[in-house]
Amino acid sequence: MTGVVIALFVSQLLLALSLPAHLRTLTPVLARNPARFRRLALALRSIGYPLLTASAALAMVHWGPALGLTYWFGLFALTGLSAALGLEFLNRRHAR
């Protein structure tokens, strides 16, 4: 179960960081170089989506197909909320 939660959290964090608004807030240097930003966003997405799929597979292996997907969607919401709150905290911290 811990592996599912960690994989979900990291994958959602990577996918959120592949969006321009979040990544530019954390690293404003990338705003000046759009080609480098596109490569980095593509790399983050190419790691985030397979990790998201792997977390669903881990949940189905651990709890079975039906219950695994049910728990996975519940954990998806919890880890997504924690990732969003963490990014918002970092955004406000960098704004000061």
Side-chain angles (χ1 to χ4, degrees):
M1 178 175 152
T2 306
V4 175
V5 173
I6 291 172
L8 264 171
F9 181 73
V10 170
S11 68
Q12 288 183 346
L13 199 59
L14 289 174
L15 291 174
L17 285 176
S18 71
L19 297 173
H22 296 301
L23 194 60
R24 285 189 181 135
T25 302
L26 296 178
T27 57
V29 176
L30 287 176
R32 296 184 208 123
N33 192 349
R36 185 175 168 199
F37 172 75
R38 280 193 297 271
R39 285 193 311 266
L40 182 60
L42 183 63
L44 290 173
R45 289 179 189 150
S46 66
I47 296 169
Y49 283 121
L51 194 57
L52 191 68
T53 306
S55 69
L58 281 173
M60 286 189 287
V61 166
H62 186 70
W63 290 298
L67 198 56
L69 282 177
T70 304
Y71 287 161
W72 184 80
F73 278 113
L75 290 172
F76 184 85
L78 290 175
T79 55
L81 177 66
S82 61
L85 289 175
L87 284 174
E88 184 61 30
F89 173 74
L90 288 176
N91 286 344
R92 288 179 187 249
R93 188 172 181 186
H94 283 285
R96 288 183 189 174

